């Protein structure tokens, strides 16, 4: 009777068993990734944690006023400067970047001041031109005035000057000249009439028969001028 030599192939116990290559040499066990994940985590957890010692960087150092280079002749404003540094330190801005920001701010300030100077010069120039035009217009009105202008303008100027000396102080004359009021037709008219009163024989006879020269300002301003002199103790 023939002996049954059929053998049942054996199944590997697990996929981690030693495998043989085609040359019959044993290879290292292969562990599926599914089961290897825990081993990797365990290996990583067993690695000692290393604490890296970090040196303080530039942004960790608070900026001071001395860290910002100021332009020559620039005066440091402590209130504004400290506020500026506070913002930089809050944002952890480094020294180099802070200097760039300040230089940009300063350049913008210079540009703005130059623009203001130009605008101010243009306003001054326009104001002076307007004043000159105003003076010319008022003088033309005086020269054409029916009362003291026209053909009698040349002779009227002496009368106007006489009335001005009677009514106005040198300081008042300077003030009127500064604002062109010395050529305003109504101001000139007032001085013209005062000058005529001064040059004419305007006298009043008093009770004892003596003559008294009339003050042209008193005629023009009446009781208000009397009250003014009374307060000053002149009458």
């Amino acid at each position: 009777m023939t002996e049954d030599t059929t053998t049942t192939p054996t199944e590997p116990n697990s996929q981690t068993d030693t495998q043989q290559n085609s040359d019959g040499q044993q290879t290292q066990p292969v562990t599926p990734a599914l089961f290897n994940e825990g081993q990797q985590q365990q290996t990583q957890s067993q690695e000692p944690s290393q604490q890296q010692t970090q040196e303080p960087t530039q942004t960790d150092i608070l900026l001071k006023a001395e860290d910002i280079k100021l332009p020559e002749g620039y005066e440091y404003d402590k209130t504004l400067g400290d506020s500026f540094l506070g913002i930089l330190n809050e944002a952890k801005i480094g020294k180099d970047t802070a200097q760039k920001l300040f230089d940009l701010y300063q350049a913008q300030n210079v540009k703005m001041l130059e623009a203001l100077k130009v605008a101010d010069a243009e306003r001054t120039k326009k104001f002076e031109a307007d004043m000159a035009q105003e003076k010319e217009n008022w003088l033309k009105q005086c020269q054409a005035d029916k009362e003291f202008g026209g053909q009698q303008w040349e002779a009227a100027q002496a009368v106007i000057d006489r009335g001005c000396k009677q009514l106005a102080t040198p300081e008042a004359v300077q003030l009127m000249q500064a604002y062109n009021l010395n050529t305003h037709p109504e101001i000139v008219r007032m001085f013209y009439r005062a000058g005529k009163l001064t040059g004419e024989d305007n006298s009043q006879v008093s009770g004892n028969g003596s003559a008294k020269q009339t003050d042209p300002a008193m005629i023009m301003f009446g009781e208000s001028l009397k009250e003014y002199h009374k307060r000053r103790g002149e009458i």
Side-chain angles (χ1 to χ4, degrees):
M1 185 174 181
T2 305
E3 183 179 355
D4 188 5
T5 58
T6 303
T7 58
T8 304
T10 59
E11 296 180 358
N13 295 331
S14 66
Q15 296 184 10
T16 59
D17 292 344
T18 302
Q19 298 180 358
Q20 292 181 350
N21 56 18
S22 58
D23 297 335
Q25 297 178 352
Q26 294 183 351
T27 60
Q28 294 296 327
V30 178
T31 303
L34 177 63
F35 301 102
N36 192 30
E37 181 179 0
Q39 183 179 357
Q40 290 179 350
Q41 294 179 353
Q42 183 178 4
T43 304
Q44 293 177 357
S45 63
Q46 291 176 356
E47 295 179 356
S49 60
Q50 298 179 355
Q51 294 182 354
Q52 298 179 353
T53 304
Q54 297 181 353
E55 296 182 357
T57 61
Q58 188 181 22
T59 56
D60 295 329
I61 303 175
L62 296 179
L63 294 172
K64 302 182 295 297
E66 295 77 9
D67 295 329
I68 305 298
K69 184 179 179 181
L70 304 180
E72 184 177 356
Y74 189 93
E75 295 183 2
Y76 180 77
D77 188 304
K78 181 172 177 56
T79 302
L80 295 178
D82 290 350
S83 298
F84 179 68
L85 291 175
I87 295 173
L88 296 178
N89 287 326
E90 184 178 356
K92 295 183 179 181
I93 301 297
K95 181 178 178 180
D96 294 339
T97 305
Q99 185 66 52
K100 292 179 181 179
L101 289 174
F102 175 80
D103 293 342
L104 180 62
Y105 166 78
Q106 180 64 15
Q108 183 65 27
N109 274 349
V110 171
K111 185 177 181 181
M112 181 178 64
L113 289 176
E114 290 177 352
L116 289 176
K117 289 180 180 180
V118 172
D120 185 64
E122 291 179 353
R123 284 194 298 268
T124 301
K125 184 177 180 180
K126 184 178 184 304
F127 174 77
E128 293 175 350
D130 291 343
M131 289 284 288
Q133 185 64 46
E134 181 183 65
K135 182 178 181 179
E136 182 180 353
N137 293 339
W138 284 349
L139 188 58
K140 288 180 179 180
Q141 293 179 30
C142 290
Q143 294 172 348
D145 191 86
K146 296 180 179 180
E147 184 176 355
F148 51 82
Q151 296 181 353
Q152 58 181 346
W153 171 246
E154 294 294 335
Q157 291 186 50
V159 180
I160 295 169
D161 183 66
R162 185 168 61 244
C164 180
K165 292 178 180 178
Q166 288 289 328
L167 299 180
T169 63
E171 293 78 11
V173 173
Q174 291 179 359
L175 182 63
M176 288 186 291
Q177 290 176 345
Y179 293 95
N180 292 337
L181 295 176
N182 60 317
T183 58
H184 192 284
E186 297 307 318
I187 300 294
V188 174
R189 190 185 316 280
M190 178 181 65
F191 291 145
Y192 176 75
R193 292 179 179 179
K196 286 187 65 176
L197 292 173
T198 303
E200 295 175 354
D201 185 16
N202 295 301
S203 60
Q204 294 179 349
V205 179
S206 60
N208 55 8
S210 61
K212 181 180 179 182
Q213 186 68 27
T214 303
D215 183 2
M218 191 68 69
I219 295 177
M220 297 181 67
F221 298 104
E223 295 298 327
S224 60
L225 187 60
K226 286 183 180 181
E227 183 65 23
Y228 171 74
H229 287 312
K230 184 176 180 181
R231 290 198 302 268
R232 296 189 60 181
E234 296 182 4
I235 60 175

